[in-house]
Amino acid sequence: MTEDPDSPHPSKWHEIAQHVPRRTNKDCRKRWFAKMANHTEKGGWALEEDEKLVQAIEKYGARWPLVSTHVQTRNSGQCAKRWTETLNPLIDRTQWSTEADSLLIKAVEEHGKQWTKIARIYFPGRTGLAAKNR
């Protein structure tokens, strides 16, 4: 594959990183895609953005820089957060039981407000955001 010299996206990350102190080729690439390559929106997601995100996940998996390029209006961090906290169909959205509520209270007493950790340890399938909101 040949590089287009007029392409708006740099592609020689090793060479670019040589000019940026204390940064690797990955650091430079991530920074480009997260901050500079796309016009990123803030705030709520539009239905069209969610649809593009789902399509991109089907095509690229959790390769967030590629996913964000497909979505076009969001950076890789925004895409990852939207997928993992909201759109992933594997998220457990069942009603919280009395036992789960009691376990959540004990987990907060033990771990504080480390919601992601609490969800991962005690409530597999639920998100940290769901634990926090509960």
Side-chain angles (χ1 to χ4, degrees), residues 4-130:
D4 177 2
D6 298 322
S7 172
H9 304 291
S11 59
K12 297 181 180 178
W13 299 112
H14 288 282
E15 292 176 32
I16 292 167
Q18 291 175 1
H19 302 283
V20 184
R22 298 180 309 279
R23 297 290 185 241
T24 67
N25 61 313
K26 276 187 166 182
D27 294 334
C28 293
R29 179 181 52 85
K30 285 182 177 183
R31 176 70 174 197
W32 174 264
F33 282 104
K35 301 289 183 186
M36 302 172 84
N38 303 331
H39 166 71
T40 56
E41 296 290 327
K42 294 183 179 179
W45 282 62
L47 180 60
E48 296 81 22
E49 290 177 306
D50 282 344
E51 290 169 354
K52 284 183 178 182
L53 178 58
V54 171
Q55 291 169 356
I57 292 291
E58 289 171 358
K59 185 172 183 177
Y60 302 113
R63 295 165 59 196
W64 302 117
L66 291 174
V67 169
S68 69
T69 300
H70 182 86
V71 173
Q72 296 179 330
T73 55
R74 302 292 178 151
N75 67 36
S76 57
Q78 289 171 308
C79 291
K81 186 174 181 177
R82 180 71 171 171
W83 178 257
T84 57
E85 292 183 358
T86 307
L87 295 179
N88 187 340
L90 299 177
I91 295 172
D92 179 358
R93 293 181 173 84
T94 59
Q95 198 167 16
W96 288 76
S97 67
T98 306
E99 295 81 18
D101 284 341
S102 297
L103 182 57
L104 179 59
I105 291 167
K106 289 178 184 171
V108 172
E109 288 170 357
E110 183 176 339
H111 299 284
K113 295 179 180 179
Q114 297 181 40
W115 303 114
T116 302
K117 181 178 181 179
I118 289 169
R120 186 180 64 246
I121 294 171
Y122 299 97
F123 306 102
R126 292 202 188 266
T127 66
L129 183 63

